[in-house]
Amino acid sequence: MGKPVLEIGGLHKSFGALRATRDVNLAVKEGEIHALIGPNGAGKTTLIAQIYGNLKPDAGQILLQGVDITAKSVEERVHLGMGRSFQISNVLMDFTVLENAIIAEQARQQAAFRFWKPAFQDSALIRGAGQILARVGLQDRQDRLVSDLAHGERRLLELALALAADPVVVLLDEPMAGAGPEETQNMTQIIKQLKGQTSILLIEHDMDAVFQLADRLTVLVEGTTIANGTPAEISANEAVREAYLGSES
Amino acid sequence: MQQIKGWFTAAPLLWLIVLLFALFPIYTTLADLPFWNDVAMRIMLLGMAAMGLNLVLGYGGMVSFGHAAFIGIGAYVTGIANFYGLDNGWIQIALALGICAVTGMIIGFLSLRTSGIYFIMITLAFAQMLYFFFVSLEQFGGDDGMVMNRSDFVFIDLWAPLSLYYMIVAALALTALLLCVLVHSRFGVTLRALKSNQSRVEAMGLNALRFRITAYMISAMICGLAGALFANWQEYVSPDIMHWTRSGELMIVIVLGGLATLAGPLLGAVVFFLLEEFLPEILAHILPAYAENWLLVFGLFLIAVVMFGRGGLIGVSQKLRARFGKGAG
Amino acid sequence: MTFALILEQLFNGFQTGVTLFLIAAGLTLVLGIMDFVNLAHGSQVMIGAYAATVLTALTGNFYLGVLLAIPVTFLFGIVLELVIIRHLYRRDHMEQVLATFGLILFFNEAVRIGFGPGALFFNLPQSLSGFVQVMPDMPYPAFRFSVIWVGLACAILIGLFVARTRIGAMVRAGASNPEMTAALGINIRLLFRLIFAAGATFAGLAGMMLGPLTAVEPGMGEGLLILSLVVIIIGGIGSVRGAFIAAVIVGIVDTMGRVLLPVILRSFMDQAAADGAGPALASMAVYILMAVVLVFRPTGLFPPRG
């Protein structure tokens, strides 16, 4: 693990009198899984929105592989290598699993603005789409309509789509949300396998999963980062125990 | 080859209807009912315009309440060109397509910054602006409209019997083919994905506006072509073509046949016309005093379609087939 | 273009504006709270006008006719909501547009069957037929003057109700956050029904006031419906205050436009062309105004969530 791929420095965001983000500093190193944890209401959603590009921070800087993306649009950030999975599955319900992957694959190839050949029969796309699904083990379910999938399978598809464009850093927003114990284990294994292929900023409430996966953690409380370090360091940290882990355990 | 065949087999009902329209004059000639050719032409043009709107409405999820404006532009470009002596039909169509593309791009660009009810209203606003603009053009008849001669299509004589008819069939077939190709293409698939979940598609790094404006422009051009041919058929243009209720009519036709289906708009146009023709007749038989008030029944029918007929004729028939097919099989 | 003439047109514009407000108020609340697009709101205007005409003819007294027509219109709104409207709340806007479009067709024909296709005349009583001196040397039609007062009174009434009463608070909550309002356990269905019926009643009242000025005929509400939709978009959906301000602006722009544009056009066009083009371009003005507002304020001037 070496240079930081995602660096956030001095981020501030206020909504009127409410200071949602106060001097947030965070760095995701290349190849690591970096978890962002914090109690409800800590401002994780606002922070993610600023990292992803839906919200402009009032002050501070976000660097993606050294490039300043603070003012860049979502589209530009994705092209520069940012990926994202959503807390509530944003999968394409009216299409099959394979079709979802094909749409992601044509976007990855930056060849979506084409008018002639039928997309879903295009062998050039199907191969890549299959690989996208294989990453999460969904290739056997490829002909199912997404609306027919179980919740856990949809979360897997969500993950697959987030990784489709081979992003440099991917934001995983509560991938275990709503998943049962078996599905959580499965998802944890899959995310573990991704280590080294990409860098991950993991936002998650499930502490078992977090401690299994994270190389390092950052703790967000009331809009500001109060600690960061290895799982061992964080568990031992008094301030964190008080603010967060204490009330959790 | 396989691919080309695929476009036709993807929408068998659509091509069946187009084929029926192509063969229809055989019947009307034998039965000596030339009036029905005119009815068929109007249905085809309505279906064509509805197919254009369906691209953005059904497949794109953009509820544009102003597409009648593009039909009007197509018609007026033809009428005004004729007025000034530029009566080459091919040039007129090229002009109509070009102007609709540009207008579609501008209106699309301005409107697509909004969404939901605001989008519906701003598209309506632009359509109303164009409507009143054409009403204000006194030299072209204003409110009353103006009469025009059919255009000169050089090697096609529009005054020859059935010339215009088959020109419209050709335009209809072209539109049908265009829709079949587009809907299945990468562009079309992305457009449909945007309707399904815009956030996801944007998270893939795609620009929603680019796809949507393009779809909007294409649909505007299809409506423009329908308008140009309509002006030739009617030999008359007036702002009525672009009244907001015409846009409503297009939506009714699409929903009646089946939103986001290839055959829906054309099927809907056929049914719509049949209702318009036969409802008054039916009423004349059972309640003669109220035959003129057939719109009452049509209004109720429309409400019923919205409340109980989700998916239009195609959707309902699919549901019925699924239910009874399983029972029988 | 005398000063008196311009002033008279300003009054007319204001009168049109408050009438538009009466129609727009119900429309904006129904769209803002129930997220329901009601094209048949224009039919409400028509129903009110017909009810008042009939009841005036029956009782022989204008004031009594209008007074009785108000509960009739209210009841009509309740029934309509019960039978059709409430089934459509969960549908998407396009379906609501189409269904209410069907209602327009239905009501127009029903009225045609009941009263014939022609216009009914709604005659004014002596007390309202004369002129009022609003300023020295400026006589203004008494009826229009009273329309302005009625409209203003209703605006103040609605404004106070929404701002000061408990039900009004629920309405405001509903306008800015319908889901939360329902979660608070407020009888949402009854609230919706009352809001819809109240909106319908004010629209009907507008119809009663327009009847004597224009004509009571099938389809009389359609033009106003579109204009009211423009008003609520400019004003901000769900905002009563926005609806009032936008309605007055639209009323004045529309009226003054119709009067001034032909005059302006005459300076570089011949009279016939100017008089033909003038009103049409004036009609465009309102839509241009809305489009400009939407480009800079995509949710209107005074959105309640704003």
Side-chain angles (χ1 to χ4, degrees):
Chain A
M1 276 176 278
K3 317 176 336 274
V5 288
L6 183 67
E7 292 165 271
I8 295 146
L11 217 62
H12 285 270
K13 181 72 185 174
S14 300
F15 298 101
L18 175 67
R19 296 170 70 199
T21 306
R22 296 181 290 138
D23 193 27
V24 165
N25 299 289
L26 190 159
V28 179
K29 296 208 188 108
E30 192 174 357
E32 78 167 350
I33 297 181
H34 193 115
L36 177 68
I37 64 173
N40 281 321
K44 295 199 292 293
T45 313
T46 312
L47 180 59
I48 293 303
Q50 290 170 78
I51 298 175
Y52 184 57
N54 287 132
L55 207 57
K56 291 278 172 290
D58 295 331
Q61 208 183 40
I62 305 172
L63 299 176
L64 180 59
Q65 288 192 298
V67 176
D68 188 342
I69 60 167
T70 324
K72 292 202 187 291
S73 67
V74 168
E75 191 190 339
E76 290 169 308
R77 293 180 202 212
V78 172
H79 283 300
L80 284 169
M82 183 177 288
R84 163 162 195 183
S85 81
F86 295 83
Q87 187 178 337
I88 299 179
S89 294
N90 266 342
V91 289
L92 305 169
M93 294 290 224
D94 314 304
F95 296 87
T96 67
V97 171
L98 182 63
E99 289 170 349
N100 270 258
I102 289 176
I103 292 170
E105 174 64 13
Q106 71 188 25
R108 184 190 77 82
Q109 292 182 13
Q110 304 212 42
F113 202 71
R114 302 260 193 282
F115 297 85
W116 192 241
K117 284 171 103 179
F120 294 147
Q121 278 96 47
D122 199 335
S123 48
L125 296 175
I126 293 176
R127 221 175 312 122
Q131 285 169 355
I132 291 172
L133 295 177
R135 222 185 234 142
V136 299
L138 271 178
Q139 64 274 38
D140 296 325
R141 305 286 278 161
Q142 66 180 30
D143 293 318
R144 294 295 225 138
L145 258 162
V146 172
S147 47
D148 290 338
L149 287 182
H151 174 87
E153 291 173 315
R154 282 194 210 158
R155 297 305 285 150
L156 286 176
L157 180 60
E158 176 71 26
L159 181 62
L161 295 176
L163 299 166
D166 295 318
V168 163
V169 64
V170 61
L171 313 172
L172 296 184
D173 193 351
E174 301 197 36
M176 323 289 183
E182 217 179 274
E183 294 165 336
T184 305
Q185 260 312 307
N186 187 25
M187 180 76 79
T188 308
Q189 287 312 310
I190 291 175
I191 297 177
K192 227 186 229 175
Q193 281 160 19
L194 294 170
K195 215 201 282 259
Q197 288 177 43
T198 183
S199 316
I200 297 175
L201 179 61
L202 173 69
I203 301 97
E204 197 31 82
H205 274 302
D206 186 328
M207 282 302 126
D208 285 329
V210 168
F211 280 85
Q212 271 188 65
L213 290 168
D215 297 308
R216 290 192 312 136
L217 292 94
T218 295
V219 185
L220 190 73
V221 177
E222 286 180 9
T224 195
T225 44
I226 64 167
N228 73 62
T230 64
E233 288 167 1
I234 295 296
S235 322
N237 185 311
E238 275 305 315
V240 173
R241 294 196 98 117
E242 213 180 279
Y244 186 39
L245 289 173
S247 52
E248 283 275 320
S249 57
Chain B
M1 251 306 119
Q2 180 72 356
Q3 176 182 302
I4 294 177
K5 201 181 78 164
W7 288 322
F8 290 94
T9 55
L13 181 59
L14 173 62
W15 291 108
L16 178 64
I17 300 179
V18 172
L19 185 65
L20 287 174
F21 272 115
L23 298 173
F24 191 61
I26 299 175
Y27 166 69
T28 60
T29 314
L30 289 174
D32 196 22
L33 296 165
F35 163 74
W36 285 99
N37 288 335
D38 281 303
V39 175
M41 283 192 266
R42 287 181 62 198
I43 298 178
M44 284 194 278
L45 289 173
L46 180 62
M48 213 176 115
M51 276 196 259
L53 177 59
N54 199 23
L55 181 65
V56 304
L57 179 65
Y59 292 106
M62 300 173 253
V63 185
S64 170
F65 210 159
H67 260 60
F70 299 116
I71 302 178
I73 291 177
Y76 265 96
V77 165
T78 310
I80 293 175
N82 265 318
F83 183 86
Y84 286 118
L86 174 67
D87 51 3
N88 180 315
W90 300 110
I91 298 183
Q92 288 172 353
I93 287 185
L95 262 175
L97 289 176
I99 294 178
C100 282
V102 171
T103 321
M105 183 174 72
I106 297 174
I107 294 180
F109 178 73
L110 291 171
S111 307
L112 283 165
R113 306 162 105 247
T114 67
S115 61
I117 182 68
Y118 299 98
F119 178 78
I120 300 177
M121 283 308 300
I122 199 173
T123 51
L124 175 63
F126 281 119
Q128 289 290 84
M129 274 187 242
L130 284 164
Y131 172 79
F132 287 114
F133 173 69
F134 282 107
V135 167
S136 75
L137 295 178
E138 284 296 311
Q139 67 267 47
F140 303 124
D143 214 349
D144 297 319
M146 65 176 177
V147 173
M148 60 167 253
N149 280 322
R150 291 192 177 172
S151 309
D152 176 13
F153 279 89
V154 189
F155 42 89
I156 302 175
D157 174 17
L158 280 193
W159 292 108
L162 296 180
S163 264
L164 183 58
Y165 187 94
Y166 279 105
M167 183 166 243
I168 294 177
V169 171
L172 180 68
L174 261 164
T175 304
L177 187 62
L178 180 64
L179 261 290
C180 287
V181 170
L182 281 178
V183 163
H184 295 110
S185 70
R186 298 188 189 194
F187 166 82
V189 151
T190 308
L191 186 71
R192 289 153 59 196
L194 275 168
K195 176 190 179 188
S196 182
N197 193 317
Q198 185 169 338
S199 299
R200 171 46 62 198
V201 176
E202 287 180 326
M204 292 174 181
L206 294 169
N207 186 321
L209 199 63
R210 185 185 185 206
F211 285 86
R212 288 184 162 149
I213 290 188
T214 308
Y216 206 81
M217 284 169 68
I218 296 174
S219 74
M221 284 162 55
I222 295 174
C223 287
L225 178 60
L229 291 169
F230 185 73
N232 269 301
W233 172 79
Q234 206 177 38
E235 294 167 59
Y236 167 71
V237 291
S238 84
D240 279 342
I241 302 181
M242 44 208 302
H243 194 249
W244 67 271
T245 47
R246 295 275 95 77
S247 291
E249 219 170 72
L250 286 176
M251 279 195 228
I252 294 173
V253 161
I254 294 176
V255 166
L256 198 54
L259 200 65
T261 62
L262 285 164
L266 191 55
L267 181 64
V270 171
V271 174
F272 182 78
F273 255 93
L274 290 177
L275 279 171
E276 241 189 15
E277 283 297 315
F278 291 117
L279 257 179
E281 297 241 346
I282 297 173
L283 272 177
H285 283 291
I286 42 179
L287 287 168
Y290 301 114
E292 273 184 4
N293 304 109
W294 62 276
L295 276 173
L296 190 100
V297 178
F298 186 77
L300 287 174
F301 175 73
L302 189 55
I303 297 171
V305 166
V306 170
M307 286 179 62
F308 308 115
R310 304 290 289 275
L313 283 164
I314 295 184
V316 168
S317 75
Q318 276 176 351
K319 273 186 238 168
L320 286 175
R321 246 186 294 156
R323 186 181 294 185
F324 294 113
K326 279 190 188 145
Chain C
M1 264 292 106
T2 66
F3 174 72
L5 207 64
I6 295 185
L7 198 61
E8 185 186 353
Q9 291 310 319
L10 264 173
F11 268 83
N12 282 347
F14 193 72
Q15 178 246 308
T16 305
V18 295
T19 315
L20 268 177
F21 166 72
L22 288 176
I23 304 174
L27 207 57
T28 200
L29 285 176
V30 168
L31 185 53
I33 299 172
M34 289 103 94
D35 201 22
F36 183 77
V37 184
N38 184 13
L39 289 190
H41 200 67
S43 301
Q44 282 298 156
V45 174
M46 181 178 74
I47 299 290
Y50 271 91
T53 310
V54 166
L55 287 164
T56 302
L58 278 176
T59 61
N61 182 316
F62 174 82
Y63 298 100
L64 202 56
V66 168
L67 217 60
L68 289 174
I70 291 177
V72 167
T73 315
F74 184 80
L75 207 66
F76 182 83
I78 295 266
V79 170
L80 185 59
E81 201 270 356
L82 259 171
V83 174
I84 307 239
I85 305 291
R86 68 187 168 117
H87 298 292
L88 295 166
Y89 290 143
R90 260 173 276 121
R91 299 300 197 89
D92 64 58
H93 288 308
M94 186 194 67
E95 293 181 300
Q96 294 168 353
V97 163
L98 291 177
T100 51
F101 188 78
L103 279 174
I104 295 179
L105 296 175
F106 179 77
F107 288 133
N108 280 344
E109 283 312 310
V111 155
R112 224 170 250 133
I113 292 177
F115 302 96
L120 296 182
F121 285 99
F122 195 4
N123 289 313
L124 286 173
Q126 276 289 70
S127 47
L128 290 171
S129 310
F131 288 83
V132 168
Q133 295 280 95
V134 291
M135 287 173 88
D137 275 343
M138 219 204 100
Y140 189 69
F143 184 67
R144 286 183 185 265
F145 198 61
S146 52
V147 167
I148 293 181
W149 282 112
V150 170
L152 273 176
C154 287
I156 295 174
L157 210 83
I158 297 175
L160 282 175
F161 185 82
V162 167
R164 296 288 162 88
T165 66
R166 271 183 61 218
I167 304 182
M170 290 184 220
V171 168
R172 263 179 298 134
S176 55
N177 196 332
E179 299 86 11
M180 184 56 85
T181 311
L184 289 172
I186 292 168
N187 188 341
I188 255 327
R189 270 176 290 165
L190 187 61
L191 186 65
F192 284 7
R193 195 158 301 141
L194 290 175
I195 293 173
F196 186 85
T201 311
F202 282 112
L205 184 62
M208 294 177 217
M209 298 196 302
L210 280 168
L213 292 173
T214 56
V216 178
E217 59 185 349
M220 64 183 280
E222 257 86 279
L224 291 161
L225 165 77
I226 300 282
L227 220 51
S228 308
L229 283 169
V230 171
V231 163
I232 70 175
I233 295 286
I234 293 178
I237 293 174
S239 166
V240 170
R241 178 175 54 135
F244 184 77
I245 296 174
V248 171
I249 294 176
V250 167
I252 292 179
V253 165
D254 192 55
T255 307
M256 299 303 280
R258 270 166 216 288
V259 167
L260 292 176
L261 262 170
V263 174
I264 297 173
L265 288 175
R266 261 181 237 159
S267 52
F268 54 87
M269 262 190 218
D270 64 84
Q271 173 133 347
D275 286 348
L281 290 175
S283 300
M284 275 176 78
V286 169
Y287 294 100
I288 295 174
L289 178 65
M290 180 178 96
V292 168
V293 168
L294 279 183
V295 165
F296 292 108
R297 286 254 191 285
T299 49
L301 294 174
F302 302 98
R305 263 174 248 228

